[in-house]
Amino acid sequence: MRSRSNSGVRLDYYQRIVHRLILAHQEPVTGLFPASNVNSHAWIRDNVYCILAVWGLSMAYKKIADQDEDRAKCYELEQSCVKLMRGLLMAMMNQKDKVEKFKMTQSPYDSLHAKYSSKNGLPVVGDGEWGHLQIDAVSLYLLILAQMTASGLQIVFSLDEVSFIQNLVFYIESAYSIPDYGIWERGDKTNHGEPELNASSIGMAKAALEAMNELDLFGARGGPASVIHVLADEAHKCQAVLQSMLPRESNSKELDSGLLCVIGFPAFAVDDAQLIHNTKDAILSRLQGKYGCKRFLRDGYRTPKEDPSRLYYERWELRMFENIECEWPLFFCYLILFHAFQNDKRSVQEYADRLEKIMVRSEDGTLLVPESYAVPQDLVGFEYQKPGSQLREVVGRCPFLWGQSLFILGRLLQEGFLAVGELDPLNRRLGAQKKPDVVVQVVIIAEDNEIRDKLAEHDLHVQTIAEVAPIEVQPARVLSHLYTYLGRNRKLGLSGRKSRDVGILSTSKLYSLKDRIFAFTPQFADLSRFYIASDNELMIDILKGEINFLKSAWDLLGRPLVTLVLKRIHLDQDKIPLAMIQTMRKLKSGYINGTRVMLGSLKDFLNTSAITDLSFLGSTEDGYPDRLHPDVQTYLDEHLLRSFSNRSTMNLRGGQLRPRTLRRRMSCKGAIKKTRSINVDSDNLGMEGPSPLTERRLSSVVPPPWLQANKQSHVSVFATTPEEGPSTPSLLLGNELVIRENIYPVDPHGQNRSAIDRRSEFVRQQEITVPKILIQRHRAETNFADTEVEELIAMLRETENLEEQGDILQYLVDTQGLDFNTGMLEEGRVVTVRDLLKGLYEKACQQKLWGLVRHTAGMLGKRVEDLAKAVTDLLVRQKQVTVGMPPNNEHTITAPLPEGELRQLIHDAYGDDESTAMLTQELMVYLAMFIRTEPQLFHEMLRLRVGLIIQVMAKELSRTLNCDGEAASEHLLNLSPFEMKNLLYHILSGKEFAVSSVARGNLSIVSCKSSRVSKKSQIGLGDPEGEDALIATIDDRQGQWLRRRRLDGALNRVPRDFYSRVWTVLEKCQGLAIEGRVLQQSLTQEMTPGELKFALEVETALNQIPQPEYRQLVVEALMVLTLVTEHNMVPTLGGIIYVEHLVHKANQLFLEDQRKVQGDATLCCAKIKDGKEQQQAASGMLLCGGAAYICQHLYDSAPSGSFGTMTYMSRAVALVLDCVPKHGEMECAIS
């Protein structure tokens, strides 16, 4: 026999070690590894990591297999891997019912178990007795299964197993929104059993989803039936959330060494090289020690201070684990692999040397990796004084197989037996390299020849739906229905994909089904979804956003393809809207918003697009894989007929003439108006939310709205028609008319009377007859006879004015309910009030009367399709959302909720105010769009308070339009969805904007760079020239700091590192009191400075302050306190600090200075007090209208400068706090 080469001898040495340390423990029946000699439980995660060394060694043998015995060794090692992976697969398949249930509930009790018996693969602890929900473990299994299959191992044997694994993909695909117990099985670090979102789980799931996509589980021998499909959007959502979290691990763990497996081997889940670098540096600087890395800060596991008799920790105990956490050599193994994949030989050597120093030698000289190192009991005191100085001792298992296995892999790489590419056959490690620019292909298709010809007039040549045949164009909902057939399996009782969502990445591919090819239009273009889809400008805006998103997110083969169908519904007065033409021209030019695009026809793009095979729609289970599943066949046949036909809407028009039953019409005037709750004028910007018993719910006499002169809490948003004008009719003939000239739809039958005639006639009528109305809730005791209802319905038929119809219907809903039979018939069916409302809603959408649209949508209980998804998008990026009007009605949403519950919560928060409830849903969708495309807008914001944002939007409109709060909230609710999104954007980004008026009374929001508006945007306002312009400029500069504070306060925006700096202040005093809430010093015992939970505590205290600008001054006062602590001026700040006291003191100092220099404030707060003045202050109103008794002029001072707020705050701190020396020189540097 030939003598073996050196490399062969060395490999045999490793084979002996692997056999003795790892394979010797493998259970012969199940193939699983028990945790230790005394514990027979087998953890999924540990088992997968243990087998990696065996897999690596088998590939090393494969390369030098020059002798039969080497080939045999290689095969034997490979089969050990297959045995283990199948053992885990069997254990999980025994729990297939859980996988099915979890898709619906996502409850920790329905999750797959984290560990099984190594003897028989059965469960070893109950569902509720262990933190089983560990998405990273299942994801790791799928990832390694994919890598092993790609390296040539055959692990999956049957199509039933394939469908089980397809369902495991569904199990992990929502990882970005499922709180779990994570890699250390503890959830929240106090270990009270609360799961939380963990970055390490999300990263592992993202890696598994990408690795599994389009993978054939039968390897080279498989066919279409054994391929796994992943919706690319799900993996991308995981990536987006992961990027927003790193380097944070979760709410309670601000950093975790477990992230090393996400940024490096095995997951390689991060595409951004800078982020990988930052995360690794954060871990090394804060968690690395001589003996490895700590798992996370204040980790009490196995430390001498831990009480071993109980599983959980008290919150206040966590502080005592600081600096004595155990250090784990395992992470040095990860770092060796991390640097080996980066080809950084120096770092590999450095960590290999460090690891060797801390490994334990067994009797025969083998190097073993221990589980962890702890500080011995008697040295704890010294370690506290000087962290990292004491010798530590081994605690836990030795060898620790998870670490040992990674150590052996590292050695095989270092000695050249393996190349990095062999451990990563799917090339995941290349994810962070720069990719070429994506070219987005766009196809526009006309619904019919007429629209095609209209486009041709603008030199835009497109095909119709009929002309693109044989390619079939379908809406996205068809694709989402087809995907529900994926992974169905009768034998296993698995039902396929649950989530109905298909994102832009999935609709940007072509799909082949036997000999048919499908193209799908994007989900946002699906008109049946929600009213914002009928705003063309918004749809174009979303399209630009999606094209931009594709540029950064697309990573499949081929180019993305966006297919859009231009339909009749998109036409505006039978013309193609200008905005659409302009956008198409831009697309034709080849660039839009910095993204390269190509406009063309479908057949041109067939060869360059990604094409996915929908073969899973075959009847494989019935033995006819080539035939379509019968259900799919019928669905497609039905759908092809229906997909693009339009529904007719109800017609309310009756006779030609209007009867003059004005008295009766009065009885429901203003019905909609009564439901309003936006309050802009009141002193504190808290909306007085409607009490549970608002007028319209009471069975009592209510005067009509035009008599309620002083009702401030109900702001009319529908005062667009004269009947419901402001409190006194005479006002109507003044300036009001001018504004609302064009809102009134012209009556086609009464052309001879102008709108103004009709208005003044109404005004006269109003002066004569102002009847009192009796609104009754219960029909039983109603005073209206049925004839009245009939008259109302007759009026309904006769009136052309949609606003009026809205009032009548609102009244009918209040008195009779939605399902009241109106006595009309349409095609033999009974027509209910609900049907009439639907008709009105659709007409209002067509005529773009947005205020009415929002209100009717609310009455019909419509909801934004993507509401739950939008809220989830915000929550998973660590933003909490509150709805309702502060301070009394705010509800905080901290965890994803199902659609129905969310809607209920929002409607409860706003009482009867349907329009604002609708607006809230709409704004949440826009916030989610922004956080997806421009996450930087949300930096340093923890909670998004939608109610407060609505108020600030109204306040900004009233400031810009120079109108009162009532008119402003009305304008706000009548903004088109596109303008609403635009206004929200300006408020989030703090950009100045101007409002210009466009046809039909709609407002348009325009950015302006300087305080002088550029000429272009002044569409309807006329040019302010000469003196006016000058006044405008001066006026605008005044009020800008107040505006900025108001915006920042409403958006809860704080300076960088604000919360962690407040933590240092809290450490030096006994507590901080804000608006009656005290932040106790003990919080520093429970939480680390960078912990999200601490930030939320501070945030909650600040949110007690109803006025945004006042809240912002409190934040500034806290910043001054942080400067005092950071410059170590004083050893301690003493007792509880009342932060507001500082602000009021600063205000006093400011007013004293103002009196000295005769500043602006001498006109209001700094006046010399006389009796009348005193009384004024006592009644709670400042002359200048400043919130919380602070002068408006202080709010409007810049932070810096000799009269700046920071200067006064610093002086206030010096005066109020006893600890700051009153005399003598002090260094005072305020940055």
Side-chain angles (χ1 to χ4, degrees), residues 183-479:
I183 185 170
W184 311 123
E185 308 193 292
R186 5 177 41 130
D188 185 284
K189 70 176 167 203
T190 51
N191 209 15
H192 279 274
E194 296 167 30
E196 46 181 18
L197 268 189
N198 289 295
S200 50
S201 298
I202 296 171
M204 200 53 87
K206 181 233 176 192
L209 289 171
E210 291 182 338
M212 275 286 163
N213 194 15
E214 304 295 315
L215 179 82
D216 192 328
L217 287 176
F218 291 175
R221 307 188 192 80
S226 53
V227 174
I228 294 292
H229 298 272
V230 178
L231 273 83
D233 298 274
E234 301 301 320
H236 189 270
K237 281 181 205 158
C238 287
Q239 173 183 331
V241 174
L242 176 67
Q243 288 194 329
S244 76
M245 286 178 83
L246 288 178
R248 180 191 297 285
E249 159 75 354
S250 70
N251 282 2
S252 70
K253 300 189 276 291
E254 57 175 286
L255 199 56
D256 191 314
S257 298
L259 290 169
L260 287 170
C261 64
V262 169
I263 59 173
F265 180 83
F268 302 107
V270 186
D271 298 351
D272 176 350
Q274 189 56 49
L275 193 56
I276 295 177
H277 184 75
N278 295 350
T279 306
K280 177 182 70 93
D281 283 359
I283 291 172
L284 297 189
S285 64
R286 305 197 48 195
L287 298 173
Q288 180 175 303
K290 269 192 298 207
Y291 296 90
C293 297
K294 303 164 177 176
R295 299 191 306 180
F296 48 87
L297 297 172
R298 297 188 178 181
D299 168 21
Y301 183 58
R302 292 223 172 98
T303 56
K305 289 275 186 192
E306 183 184 44
D307 175 355
S309 65
R310 57 189 161 98
L311 269 176
Y312 63 92
Y313 308 125
E314 298 299 347
R315 294 188 172 280
W316 47 266
E317 290 184 301
L318 292 172
R319 186 66 184 262
M320 63 189 188
F321 303 133
E322 200 160 305
N323 297 328
I324 60 162
E325 304 98 333
C326 291
E327 293 179 356
W328 295 58
L330 160 74
F331 297 113
F332 282 167
C333 304
Y334 273 118
L335 283 162
I336 290 171
L337 291 170
F338 177 88
H339 290 295
F341 274 90
Q342 303 244 332
N343 203 10
D344 174 355
K345 294 202 169 64
R346 217 185 74 239
S347 301
V348 170
Q349 197 49 53
E350 179 198 333
Y351 281 107
D353 297 344
R354 292 175 95 162
L355 184 59
E356 206 152 314
K357 286 191 195 117
I358 55 173
M359 289 174 77
V360 177
R361 280 195 186 274
S362 64
E363 295 93 74
D364 56 2
T366 316
L367 287 173
L368 306 179
V369 178
E371 186 167 5
S372 58
Y373 277 93
V375 181
Q377 182 77 47
D378 47 344
L379 300 177
V380 168
F382 301 110
E383 183 74 14
Y384 275 145
Q385 285 160 11
K386 193 174 174 216
S389 58
Q390 305 303 308
L391 289 172
R392 293 177 173 235
E393 59 191 9
V394 171
V395 290
R397 292 166 282 184
C398 185
F400 180 44
L401 292 188
W402 174 353
Q404 193 73 35
S405 170
L406 293 180
F407 167 69
I408 292 168
L409 275 188
R411 274 298 174 83
L412 292 172
L413 285 172
Q414 281 161 279
E415 296 184 24
F417 291 118
L418 277 178
V420 285
E422 291 171 288
L423 281 179
D424 177 29
L426 292 169
N427 293 330
R428 296 204 43 76
R429 65 192 182 287
L430 307 177
Q433 294 183 358
K434 197 160 163 31
K435 302 178 190 64
D437 267 355
V438 172
V439 178
V440 181
Q441 306 170 145
V442 183
V443 174
I444 292 171
I445 297 173
E447 187 178 32
D448 52 29
N449 296 350
E450 192 184 334
I451 293 181
R452 179 194 63 191
D453 300 342
K454 284 195 163 118
L455 280 172
E457 291 168 23
H458 295 278
D459 197 31
L460 294 162
H461 301 287
V462 302
Q463 293 179 300
T464 61
I465 295 186
E467 290 169 342
V468 295
I471 302 173
E472 301 170 38
V473 181
Q474 293 282 4
R477 56 176 186 274
V478 177
L479 180 62

Side-chain angles (χ1 to χ4, degrees), residues 836-1070:
L836 295 178
L837 258 180
K838 278 187 184 146
L840 176 64
Y841 165 76
E842 284 166 11
K843 276 201 214 154
C845 278
Q846 283 163 12
Q847 295 190 20
K848 313 269 186 273
L849 296 171
W850 296 112
L852 191 56
V853 167
R854 288 189 177 96
H855 191 82
T856 45
M859 284 168 68
L860 286 166
K862 287 194 174 297
R863 59 165 189 251
V864 184
E865 281 285 330
D866 301 336
L867 183 62
K869 207 178 81 202
V871 172
T872 304
D873 274 347
L874 295 165
L875 290 174
V876 295
R877 289 172 174 80
Q878 298 89 61
K879 307 290 174 212
Q880 295 192 347
V881 185
T882 72
V883 296
M885 296 310 178
N888 338 356
N889 272 1
E890 249 183 322
H891 299 274
T892 306
I893 304 171
T894 52
L897 293 173
E899 198 97 40
E901 278 178 45
L902 257 178
R903 249 202 77 232
Q904 200 46 51
L905 182 79
I906 293 174
H907 282 265
D908 292 350
Y910 293 105
D912 280 343
D913 186 358
E914 304 285 4
S915 315
T916 316
M918 260 359 259
L919 182 57
T920 298
Q921 299 191 27
E922 201 181 312
L923 289 179
M924 284 178 170
V925 173
Y926 302 151
L927 286 168
M929 284 178 193
F930 290 139
I931 205 164
R932 249 182 70 190
T933 51
E934 301 187 53
Q936 71 279 1
L937 288 177
F938 295 84
H939 281 331
E940 313 301 333
M941 288 157 63
L942 282 181
R943 257 191 206 135
L944 302 166
R945 301 166 74 189
V946 184
L948 206 52
I949 291 175
I950 292 177
Q951 283 178 316
V952 170
M953 286 166 90
K955 221 161 195 179
E956 283 287 272
L957 275 184
S958 89
R959 183 183 70 90
T960 343
L961 290 171
N962 235 333
C963 60
D964 64 352
E966 185 161 329
S969 45
E970 175 182 321
H971 285 309
L972 179 68
L973 281 168
N974 275 303
L975 283 181
S976 75
F978 172 69
E979 297 302 349
M980 188 70 76
K981 177 172 180 235
N982 215 342
L983 177 60
L984 178 64
Y985 179 79
H986 281 91
I987 280 176
L988 281 177
S989 58
K991 288 184 178 149
E992 284 286 340
F993 65 91
V995 176
S996 63
S997 153
V998 195
R1000 237 188 315 177
N1002 288 346
L1003 300 176
S1004 153
I1005 311 290
V1006 217
S1007 303
C1008 45
K1009 300 286 180 292
S1010 68
S1011 53
R1012 290 197 59 177
V1013 187
S1014 64
K1015 292 223 174 79
K1016 195 181 94 221
S1017 67
Q1018 293 286 333
I1019 305 176
L1021 295 182
D1023 271 351
E1025 282 302 323
E1027 286 171 53
D1028 295 355
L1030 197 73
I1031 295 168
T1033 334
I1034 300 167
D1035 201 47
D1036 214 49
R1037 201 169 319 139
Q1038 199 179 4
Q1040 70 173 11
W1041 279 105
L1042 168 64
R1043 169 176 186 263
R1044 210 170 133 178
R1045 286 196 172 95
R1046 190 172 279 160
L1047 289 188
D1048 284 347
L1051 296 169
N1052 289 10
R1053 209 179 253 134
V1054 295
R1056 279 196 55 187
D1057 303 327
F1058 171 73
Y1059 298 109
S1060 53
R1061 293 165 82 170
V1062 171
W1063 191 91
T1064 56
V1065 174
L1066 207 47
E1067 226 182 358
K1068 291 201 171 180
C1069 66
Q1070 282 168 22

Side-chain angles (χ1 to χ4, degrees), residues 1020-1194:
L1021 295 182
D1023 271 351
E1025 282 302 323
E1027 286 171 53
D1028 295 355
L1030 197 73
I1031 295 168
T1033 334
I1034 300 167
D1035 201 47
D1036 214 49
R1037 201 169 319 139
Q1038 199 179 4
Q1040 70 173 11
W1041 279 105
L1042 168 64
R1043 169 176 186 263
R1044 210 170 133 178
R1045 286 196 172 95
R1046 190 172 279 160
L1047 289 188
D1048 284 347
L1051 296 169
N1052 289 10
R1053 209 179 253 134
V1054 295
R1056 279 196 55 187
D1057 303 327
F1058 171 73
Y1059 298 109
S1060 53
R1061 293 165 82 170
V1062 171
W1063 191 91
T1064 56
V1065 174
L1066 207 47
E1067 226 182 358
K1068 291 201 171 180
C1069 66
Q1070 282 168 22
L1072 290 168
I1074 300 169
E1075 192 82 11
R1077 269 186 98 112
V1078 180
L1079 295 168
Q1080 298 289 353
Q1081 187 181 15
S1082 60
L1083 286 177
T1084 58
Q1085 307 286 326
E1086 297 173 20
M1087 307 171 190
T1088 54
E1091 201 171 301
L1092 203 58
K1093 277 168 41 187
F1094 176 72
L1096 287 168
E1097 288 284 340
V1098 180
E1099 166 83 306
T1100 309
L1102 286 171
N1103 280 355
Q1104 301 298 309
I1105 303 175
Q1107 309 91 334
E1109 54 269 56
Y1110 183 43
R1111 170 201 161 103
Q1112 231 25 38
L1113 281 186
V1114 171
V1115 168
E1116 286 173 39
L1118 283 168
M1119 283 309 280
V1120 173
L1121 286 173
T1122 63
L1123 294 170
V1124 174
T1125 51
E1126 281 164 22
H1127 293 296
N1128 280 331
M1129 292 181 176
V1130 284
T1132 161
L1133 295 173
I1136 290 183
I1137 299 174
Y1138 292 89
V1139 187
E1140 290 128 300
H1141 189 178
L1142 298 174
V1143 180
H1144 285 285
K1145 190 74 193 162
N1147 186 41
Q1148 264 174 321
L1149 296 167
F1150 169 74
L1151 294 179
E1152 283 162 24
D1153 281 6
Q1154 284 284 309
R1155 286 192 191 107
K1156 284 177 201 153
V1157 298
Q1158 286 295 307
D1160 291 345
T1162 46
L1163 298 175
C1164 53
C1165 306
K1167 255 191 193 167
I1168 310 303
K1169 293 254 166 90
D1170 55 27
K1172 208 169 68 190
E1173 205 64 37
Q1174 299 273 303
Q1175 191 188 346
Q1176 180 84 27
S1179 70
M1181 277 301 293
L1182 296 184
L1183 276 178
C1184 57
Y1189 299 108
I1190 304 282
C1191 179
Q1192 194 87 343
H1193 294 287
L1194 179 64

Side-chain angles (χ1 to χ4, degrees), residues 13 26 83 141 163 198 251 272 380 514 622 637 775 809 879 881 1025 1045 1172 1177:
Y13 161 71
Q26 191 170 21
K83 174 94 179 167
Y141 175 80
S163 28
N198 289 295
N251 282 2
D272 176 350
V380 168
K514 304 291 165 277
D622 303 330
D637 293 347
I775 295 191
L809 286 173
K879 307 290 174 212
V881 185
E1025 282 302 323
R1045 286 196 172 95
K1172 208 169 68 190

Side-chain angles (χ1 to χ4, degrees), residues 107-120:
S107 146
Y109 299 114
D110 295 330
S111 67
L112 284 170
H113 281 197
K115 55 180 188 175
Y116 300 97
S117 157
S118 59
K119 302 273 193 292
N120 54 19

